[in-house]
Amino acid sequence: MEFKRSAGVFVAGISLFLGGPLLSYAGLLFVALSAARNDRGLITVFVSLSIFGALLGLLGFFMLLVAAHRALTKIDALPVRIPSAQRQTWPADPV
């Protein structure tokens, strides 16, 4: 059975999951600064940036879910050694 790789998706998911909200918070900070100067054009740009950051964070979360599923599928498919049962004594065995 061929498995899909999960490390790249995991790293990208972590990056987006952490970087998306940072981009969103930065956009909100600049929205507040632009609102203080009554610049409606910049407010629109930075609100769009905040929404884009939130969407990137959501995309990163879904990528983490996909990476975890791929990794757990690989782990579940690993061969497991089952210990053999203790040999029971039969009446014909010498004691």
Side-chain angles (χ1 to χ4, degrees):
M1 179 175 210
E2 185 82 18
F3 294 109
K4 297 179 182 176
R5 296 178 184 227
S6 61
V9 177
F10 183 74
V11 170
I14 285 285
S15 300
L16 290 176
F17 187 67
L18 297 177
L22 289 176
L23 185 64
S24 186
Y25 293 140
L28 290 176
L29 173 69
F30 289 125
V31 164
L33 293 175
S34 299
R37 296 189 312 183
N38 291 328
D39 191 355
R40 291 194 184 271
L42 281 177
I43 289 175
T44 305
V45 169
F46 290 129
V47 165
S48 301
L49 185 68
S50 297
I51 293 170
F52 183 67
L55 291 176
L56 283 180
L58 188 63
L59 178 67
F61 176 72
F62 287 126
M63 288 176 79
L64 283 174
L65 290 178
V66 168
H69 178 266
R70 286 180 178 182
L72 291 175
T73 302
K74 287 180 188 177
I75 290 172
D76 282 343
L78 290 175
V80 178
R81 293 186 70 193
I82 300 172
S84 61
Q86 295 270 339
R87 185 173 180 263
Q88 296 180 2
T89 58
W90 293 91
D93 288 342
V95 181

